Amino acid sequence: MHNRVFNMASGPVELTRATDLALVGQFAMAHHPSFKEMEMRLRRNLASLLGTKGDVVITHGSIRTGMDMAVANLVQPGDRVLVLANGYWGKLFVEMIRAYRGEPILVEFDPQQPITEQDTEAALSKHPDVTMVTMTDVETNTGIRNDAPGVGRVVKRHGALFVLDTACSAGNMPVESDKWGVDVGITGSQKGFCAAAGLAILTISPDAREWIRNRREPVYSWYHDLRFHWNDPDIEQIIKSGEHSPFSPASLLYFSLAASLDEIMEVGPEIFFERHRQAALAMRKGFRAAGLKLVIDDDQVASTTVVATWYPNGVEGAVFLKAMDERYDLFLSGNLGTLFAGKSFRLGLMSPPQIQFRQALSTITSVVGALNEQGADLDIAAAITAAEQSFGGGNI
């Protein structure tokens, strides 16, 4: 008999019971008034947590679907796009920009340092003709959080569009899309919004809407043309005429996401963010006390959603991850890219089950135990003591 594996990955995340149950037993007809009522509440909650008064677009697909949709609608052939990256996920925009015949200009930074306002100013001074700037808010490989507010200020002064991937921040950390000057924000259901995988979520600013409306060429995508997702009189008339039909939403996934956001709003976003901060800090202090080295050592620039750790000398990553799965019933993720693959692993602290006091202590104990089984000399007692003290000796 195989035990249930607990998911401590950085997405898709471990679900709460309410979010899990929302996937079954619902009347899933999308044209029924009950669905419309739920969808309106869902959109309000998303707009609140993403800090926007602009459009919120929900479509079925992964976060990469959302990235592809953003690029398809904003990039025209020949457009030069500045890609700011300090990790694997930030560089992913390059492939998509090329696919839509744009010209990506990749500027890479130290993966263990945040991308700053000054970095952006310097990059734009070298490439003043770009129409768009892309960046990842939290780089999943390392858990570092970039300076999105500062970058957004520079991009706005330059007059370009700012596209921000908030996959590992939205829902668990404050995101202020409008204040930060984000024209298109991209996330999904399966990370910080603590719901089932399968929905991409975008925020669209008025400037981005205007840009898409006034494109010199058509959007080179039929299904993901954003104009069919927002409330526009011209588009509504096309839909009513039968020339284009809106897609059938993945109804049960909407219910799952709505249930999760209802839980977050009931707790209160500020309290929810603080619980994630406390859990991340306790995990980081516990690992440090054990003798592990964190990929991002500075707590001030580390996210509260991902904790990435270097393997001690002599530890084989594949063996460790297999032991965590089969012996300790915990699923963790290895890292990607030449600097990190096989050298580090990461934990997700994104959903309520993942940030429980007991789960944090259990995870620390299991991780340190599995590493010691491969010859590491780590102090489990010191790790648990440090984590308990950080939590204040009680459950959050």
Side-chain angles (χ1 to χ4, degrees), residues 186-229:
I186 307 158
T187 188
S189 54
Q190 79 272 24
K191 289 184 178 277
F193 287 134
C194 322
L199 295 177
I201 301 159
L202 295 90
T203 58
I204 315 294
S205 74
D207 286 347
R209 280 187 59 151
E210 199 63 24
W211 175 270
I212 296 167
R213 264 181 167 276
N214 296 323
R215 286 175 58 105
R216 63 180 182 271
E217 298 196 25
V219 174
Y220 289 99
S221 174
W222 179 81
Y223 194 76
H224 285 151
D225 187 335
L226 274 170
R227 293 174 301 164
F228 291 100
H229 290 262

Side-chain angles (χ1 to χ4, degrees), residues 14 20 60 69 109 128 147-148 159 166 171 218 272 289 297 306 316 325 332 335 340 342 345 362 368 381 383:
E14 186 77 16
D20 215 355
H60 42 281
M69 183 183 290
F109 300 92
D147 180 17
T166 62
F272 195 62
D297 193 53
V306 180
E316 294 185 28
D325 185 11
L332 310 180
N335 269 328
F340 302 102
F345 66 95
S362 173
V368 174

